[in-house]
Amino acid sequence: MIPSIVDGVIASSAVVCLALAYGITYGMLGVMDLTLSARFASAAFASWWVAQTFYASKNPVFAPAVWIGAIGGATILTVLLWMAMAPLTRRAPLVVLIGSLGLVTMTEAGFQAVFGTTAKVFTGYPTETGVFFMGTTATPLQLTAAGYAILAVLLTAIVLANTGFGDKLHAIAEDPEVARCVFGLNVAKLTRQAILFTALLIGPAGMLYAVSHGATAVTGHNFGLIAFISTIVAGRRRPLAAAGIALVLTVLGTVFTRWNMAEWIAFTTVTCSVVIMAHQLIQRRKLTVRARAALYGTALVGGIVLAEALANFALRTLPEGGQSYHIPSAYQPLFPYLVIGVALLWRPKGIFADSKERMV
Amino acid sequence: MTQSRRSTILSIAWLALFTTALGAQTNGQGPKGPTTIGVITIETGGSADYGTYTKNGLELARTEMRDGGIRLVTKDSKENPQEAVRVFKELQAEGAPLVIGPFTSTEARLVGAEAQRVGMVMITTSATADELGTIGDHVFMMLPPNNRQGSDQAAFARDKLSATRAAILYRQNAYGLSLRAGFVKTFKAKGGQVTREEAFPDNAEEFRDHLRVLAAGRPDVLFIAAHDKDTGRILRQAKEIRFPATKFLGGDGSMSPAMIELAGDTAEGSIFSNVASLDPNFNRLYRERFGTDPSGYSATAYDALKIVGELVQKGITTSQGLQKALIGLQGHAGASGLTKFTRQGKSYWCLDKQYRQYEVKGGKFELIK
């Protein structure tokens, strides 16, 4: 059980970075801009181009140049797309949504015209062999991507909580009209700055993803939608929660077909019971938010470890066939949508939304 | 004769002339111009490189034929079955008696049904899903059915590689499903054990998760029923997770330069099946023209247009005429082997073509003798 969860966490790095970016553009600024996956692809292509150019010349600035290329590629496309998108933002949100979808299609065609149809592979980067890590294997590149995702989350948290720019973004997120009229904020300028900040978040993520998967015109499309949906499930003005939901959805998607029935039963009974009991104890005490989060986290991890031990014990007593009883992988794509449906039925305004907020 | 009566007669005459011209046009035999042959392939999206292979093969044939009285009209299906049907109707409206394509079995299933309904001929140069055989006598496949390909690979795994345990990773579309079915049936019939099967959706790029599940069964071989980009990524990711299989096997959909490029050195030793003879002369011509090695699909597209071109040169330009001529084709020796259509089910397949195994050595596909 635990190795599957670790795999899910490692695999979620790109989705988490995109969800953070959507959490800012849609969650805070209210712009239904779906072009972030195209920007992700632009970072992939730009870093590939820089890598191929510098690798051939054995230039010593190879590694930093690739990172700068990724951020540069994402930034340039972000500026270009925003120039096209900005006039639409004065109209209804759905106009922005449809306009952004049109821009994604155009960008995809443009990438294909420039870079061709085959996947662009970073030929200088060797094929990695995974190292053993917490019961599973992970490549150094995957661990770097996971480390970058953590860095992106921390950076976003610091910018939003501890800077004047973050305060202004929160003000715009609360009410753009009040931010403009009462606080005298230049909403258009701050929006541009926030959009550029998202390029910084997704640029390196696009590069790290493309190194192992190759860059194509549709790179990033697979998880762009999951990232956007995570923002909706998290609720407005919650970019960090959107990243958290993206992580949870990816992990659940990973374990969905990996776990056998014994593991599922152990998880749904033991882990959930431990968490519910912890909830009963925690809610009766006056604790700080951080203390509550730590206790909930401990209960969840403890519950999973206990469930793992019980599942392993049960599996030893079962015949060989008991282990192979899995949910067929054909149903895996349905799983995130099932979770999203249940989550929005439970909290239609988003899981972390305030009760006074409007329906999403 | 009054003015109004003269006008009426003139109008009727014009209408008759227009209708006759339109009728001739829809049968693909304009009074003078070249015969329109439709091509439906994938030009945009994640599988667009398949379209490039097809178009390059057609382009090579067209150049050799010096157009040969044919006007090729290419339409992009975007790998979307509904879009493929829409562009098929456009080609029908343009008067094409025959369509080469579409590329994938999922698209060919719908386009084939439409071609059958309106009496047009469809020759797919790549689609091989078994269910295409249930459509009708206007549907022609340049390859044998997938079931046979999967079955041949299973027999190869059991008889030549002495594999007893196989895991399967397949794309969840008509191609992957039928290839998988053929493999499972024969592998089990020959006493092998399928340890576990995993499916993945179209356009997936992350396979580590599936591979970890499959690795738990400690298979001797991993059979990959997928497209070329899928397989390239699967092979790379299999090495990353230290997949224990000794051999990786795949079908013709995986056998392309794009797969080798994505997989890098992890493709070495993998075995794929294909009917294409990869004729050295065709290979040389292709490399000189496009600067890369051809895919088997370039060879089938090349042969399809050559066959149609020869028929058009003989003055056969209607759907009905082309269908009869294709059924009666005595055998065309080309880049993809001998093309001769044989009825199996309701449709026509190239059953005489044999799947052969190719191993990746030094970044090239080498025929296993």
Side-chain angles (χ1 to χ4, degrees):
Chain A
M1 279 173 81
I2 292 172
S4 318
I5 295 170
V6 174
D7 287 338
V9 172
I10 292 168
S12 69
S13 54
V15 192
V16 163
C17 291
L18 269 175
L20 271 179
Y22 276 123
I24 293 169
T25 54
Y26 173 65
M28 299 196 77
L29 304 172
V31 181
M32 295 182 90
D33 172 11
L34 290 182
T35 61
L36 286 177
S37 55
R39 297 175 200 182
F40 189 86
S42 73
F45 278 120
S47 53
W48 167 80
W49 183 79
V50 173
Q52 296 301 94
T53 309
F54 279 78
Y55 183 76
S57 63
K58 306 285 180 197
N59 199 305
V61 294
F62 174 68
V66 175
W67 283 78
I68 292 166
I71 295 170
T75 307
I76 290 168
L77 193 70
T78 298
V79 171
L80 290 174
L81 289 175
W82 187 248
M83 283 164 69
M85 290 279 293
L88 301 178
T89 57
R90 295 186 207 108
R91 301 181 184 277
L94 276 180
V95 174
V96 181
L97 179 75
I98 293 161
S100 69
L101 285 173
L103 285 171
V104 169
T105 310
M106 282 170 60
T107 313
E108 192 182 309
F111 283 145
Q112 195 174 302
V114 175
F115 295 105
T117 53
T118 54
K120 297 299 170 202
V121 183
F122 290 61
T123 45
Y125 198 83
T127 309
E128 296 177 316
T129 304
V131 291
F132 288 107
F133 175 78
M134 293 185 75
T136 181
T137 54
T139 62
L141 188 69
Q142 279 184 297
L143 294 174
T144 307
Y148 176 73
I150 294 168
L151 191 70
V153 171
L154 290 175
L155 179 68
T156 309
I158 291 166
V159 166
L160 292 179
N162 299 330
T163 65
F165 175 63
D167 293 341
K168 289 171 188 169
L169 280 187
H170 280 297
I172 295 171
E174 285 295 329
D175 194 325
E177 283 306 307
V178 172
R180 188 184 357 247
C181 302
V182 179
F183 300 115
L185 297 179
N186 185 340
V187 175
K189 186 181 167 190
L190 283 162
T191 302
R192 280 198 299 273
Q193 289 171 348
I195 298 280
L196 281 174
F197 179 67
T198 61
L200 179 69
L201 293 176
I202 59 178
M207 180 264 285
L208 290 165
Y209 182 82
V211 170
S212 61
H213 296 83
T216 65
V218 294
T219 295
H221 283 207
N222 281 349
F223 35 80
L225 188 62
I226 289 288
F228 187 66
I229 287 170
S230 300
T231 310
I232 293 174
V233 172
R236 294 287 305 277
R237 304 198 293 275
R238 302 287 186 276
L240 297 177
I245 297 286
L247 173 73
V248 171
L249 282 177
T250 313
V251 171
L252 287 174
T254 303
V255 301
F256 185 53
T257 55
R258 285 272 294 278
W259 285 357
N260 54 43
M261 278 303 136
E263 288 172 323
W264 271 114
I265 291 165
F267 178 77
T268 49
T269 54
V270 178
T271 311
C272 293
S273 301
V274 170
V275 171
I276 290 167
M277 282 190 290
H279 174 69
Q280 295 297 327
L281 292 170
I282 292 165
Q283 69 171 357
R284 289 181 201 153
R285 286 168 173 73
K286 287 183 180 175
L287 297 167
T288 62
V289 174
R290 283 181 187 168
R292 278 172 187 267
L295 286 171
Y296 277 119
T298 308
L300 182 65
V301 173
I304 289 170
V305 171
L306 190 59
E308 164 104 350
L310 283 172
N312 285 341
F313 177 76
L315 285 172
R316 270 199 294 274
T317 61
L318 287 174
E320 192 186 352
Q323 285 212 46
S324 61
Y325 196 74
H326 294 81
I327 297 170
S329 57
Y331 297 106
Q332 193 177 31
L334 298 175
F335 186 64
Y337 298 96
L338 187 70
V339 173
I340 291 155
V342 172
L344 289 179
L345 277 174
W346 172 45
R347 298 285 296 259
K349 298 162 195 170
I351 291 174
F352 298 100
D354 294 335
S355 54
K356 291 175 189 170
E357 283 182 23
R358 288 172 295 163
M359 296 278 281
V360 289
Chain B
M1 193 180 283
T2 63
Q3 179 76 22
S4 62
R5 188 171 291 176
R6 230 185 351 250
S7 301
T8 310
I9 291 168
L10 265 174
S11 301
I12 291 168
W14 270 115
L15 192 66
L17 196 66
F18 178 73
T19 313
T20 311
L22 195 70
Q25 186 68 23
T26 50
N27 281 328
Q29 45 180 13
K32 280 173 191 169
T35 303
T36 300
I37 297 295
V39 177
I40 303 175
T41 192
I42 306 165
E43 293 186 295
T44 51
S47 301
D49 49 344
Y50 279 143
T52 307
Y53 305 143
T54 309
K55 284 194 295 180
N56 288 353
L58 293 172
E59 182 58 27
L60 208 56
R62 198 182 63 82
T63 311
E64 284 182 17
M65 288 156 50
R66 295 187 184 141
D67 293 343
I70 283 178
R71 183 175 76 102
L72 276 186
V73 180
T74 306
K75 303 273 182 183
D76 179 15
S77 71
K78 302 179 176 72
E79 207 184 351
N80 177 341
Q82 281 73 34
E83 181 66 10
V85 172
R86 194 186 68 74
V87 296
F88 171 82
K89 287 178 179 169
E90 281 181 10
L91 290 167
Q92 185 196 357
E94 287 189 41
L98 179 145
V99 166
I100 297 175
F103 195 90
T104 67
S105 298
T106 315
E107 296 166 302
R109 210 167 35 179
L110 293 190
V111 172
E114 187 63 18
Q116 185 68 29
R117 192 180 69 78
V118 300
M120 265 174 73
V121 176
M122 181 189 93
I123 306 180
T124 173
T125 58
S126 45
T128 44
D130 298 356
E131 60 196 279
L132 296 175
T134 63
I135 299 174
D137 58 3
H138 282 66
V139 174
F140 295 81
M141 270 66 72
M142 289 292 289
L143 295 166
N146 241 352
N147 188 28
R148 204 171 90 193
Q149 183 179 190
S151 180
D152 283 1
Q153 282 293 65
F156 182 83
R158 280 292 291 136
D159 301 340
K160 305 282 182 192
L161 303 177
S162 306
T164 54
R165 295 164 68 83
I168 300 171
L169 182 54
Y170 63 98
R171 191 184 247 243
Q172 203 168 359
N173 65 3
Y175 173 79
L177 283 164
S178 55
L179 197 56
R180 165 203 157 269
F183 185 92
V184 171
K185 191 177 167 189
T186 304
F187 198 74
K188 284 184 176 171
K190 283 181 169 284
Q193 183 198 352
V194 175
T195 52
R196 186 163 173 185
E197 300 172 40
E198 282 280 300
F200 60 87
D202 287 342
N203 299 322
E205 291 184 346
E206 184 59 52
F207 305 98
R208 291 182 183 91
D209 198 31
H210 298 294
L211 288 165
R212 285 196 172 95
V213 174
L214 296 171
R218 313 293 298 179
D220 301 320
V221 292
L222 173 66
F223 182 64
I224 305 164
H227 294 183
D228 56 354
K229 281 182 188 156
D230 306 331
T231 306
R233 292 187 177 108
I234 287 166
L235 292 174
R236 183 177 276 262
Q237 292 173 20
K239 185 180 178 192
E240 289 176 358
I241 69 145
R242 296 167 177 265
F243 194 85
T246 52
K247 276 287 179 193
F248 295 94
L249 302 178
D252 59 342
S254 299
M255 203 174 141
S256 78
M259 187 281 290
I260 299 268
E261 196 176 341
L262 267 169
D265 56 357
T266 60
E268 289 298 308
S270 304
I271 294 167
F272 301 92
S273 57
N274 205 314
V275 295
S277 62
L278 296 183
D279 167 47
N281 190 39
F282 172 76
N283 278 5
R284 183 181 55 75
L285 286 172
Y286 190 97
R287 217 176 289 119
E288 280 173 8
R289 178 75 185 268
F290 303 107
T292 58
D293 286 328
S295 150
Y297 298 131
S298 309
T300 49
Y302 172 86
D303 284 348
L305 187 57
K306 283 273 202 167
I307 292 166
V308 173
E310 282 170 17
L311 297 177
V312 170
Q313 289 286 351
K314 288 177 188 168
I316 305 169
T317 55
T318 62
S319 295
Q320 201 181 3
L322 285 166
Q323 185 225 9
K324 282 186 179 160
L326 286 171
I327 292 170
L329 190 73
Q330 287 306 304
H332 171 94
S336 66
L338 189 74
T339 300
K340 183 174 184 299
F341 295 106
T342 309
R343 192 168 185 157
Q344 182 169 296
K346 291 180 181 172
S347 310
Y348 288 88
W349 302 84
C350 285
L351 297 178
D352 291 335
K353 290 181 181 174
Q354 297 297 320
Y355 279 103
R356 284 177 286 184
Q357 276 69 35
Y358 292 81
E359 185 171 6
V360 181
K361 282 184 181 171
K364 302 275 178 199
F365 295 102
E366 280 191 16
L367 181 68
I368 298 175
K369 290 174 182 169

